[in-house]
Amino acid sequence: QVQLVESGGGLVQAGGSLRVSCAASGRAISTYAIAWFRQAPGKVREFVARIKQDDIDTRYAASVQGRFTISRDNAKNTVLLEMNSLKPDDTAVYYCAATTRDSFGLYYIHNNYDYWGQGTQVTVSS
């Protein structure tokens, strides 16, 4: 079983950049597909990005495409989410999630992930 811990959140001005990390322990993160979700107050948890075990297949929500980049650092057992050109609408708690199951294309559904971190707050001021 893997444990996930997010870090790197904080307060940034609109247009700025931030990088959040998802560190794994207990198992090698390379064996998992890893996704980032986010949840703003009063809103449902939404998909942000996903990277598969092959490190090649990445997917992004339309709202972050071209601004966010998901990547792995297997040596550090970590997945990163680089966020650029941040907007106030990006304000949310960001969660990383892991699974070894095949999502059959439904990678954007949170129920397809088995392990979750506790989240890290990202706040973008206007």
Side-chain angles (χ1 to χ4, degrees):
Q1 186 167 339
V2 66
Q3 292 80 44
L4 304 173
V5 177
E6 302 93 335
S7 63
L11 174 64
V12 63
Q13 287 189 330
S17 298
L18 205 60
R19 185 174 67 181
V20 291
S21 301
C22 174
S25 61
R27 293 280 301 274
I29 203 168
S30 58
T31 63
Y32 294 89
I34 301 294
W36 285 94
F37 287 78
R38 65 187 182 186
Q39 188 165 18
K43 295 188 177 181
V44 300
R45 189 168 297 190
E46 66 173 357
F47 170 78
V48 175
R50 185 221 65 193
I51 187 166
K52 287 192 74 173
Q53 292 89 328
D54 61 10
D55 289 354
I56 298 173
D57 188 348
T58 58
R59 303 297 172 103
Y60 296 91
S63 59
V64 307
Q65 181 77 47
R67 299 188 297 123
F68 290 13
T69 303
I70 189 171
S71 63
R72 287 183 185 271
D73 186 340
N74 289 331
K76 295 183 178 180
N77 222 27
T78 298
V79 168
L80 306 174
L81 183 68
E82 190 78 36
M83 303 182 289
N84 298 312
S85 302
L86 282 162
K87 306 174 182 179
D89 284 349
D90 294 319
T91 295
V93 177
Y94 283 69
Y95 299 91
C96 65
T99 186
T100 57
R101 294 184 285 139
D102 191 332
S103 65
F104 298 103
L106 301 178
Y107 52 85
Y108 48 87
I109 296 179
H110 65 85
N111 283 344
N112 284 330
Y113 295 85
D114 302 305
Y115 306 100
W116 291 81
Q118 83 291 346
T120 186
Q121 177 71 47
V122 172
T123 302
V124 184
S125 63
S126 56

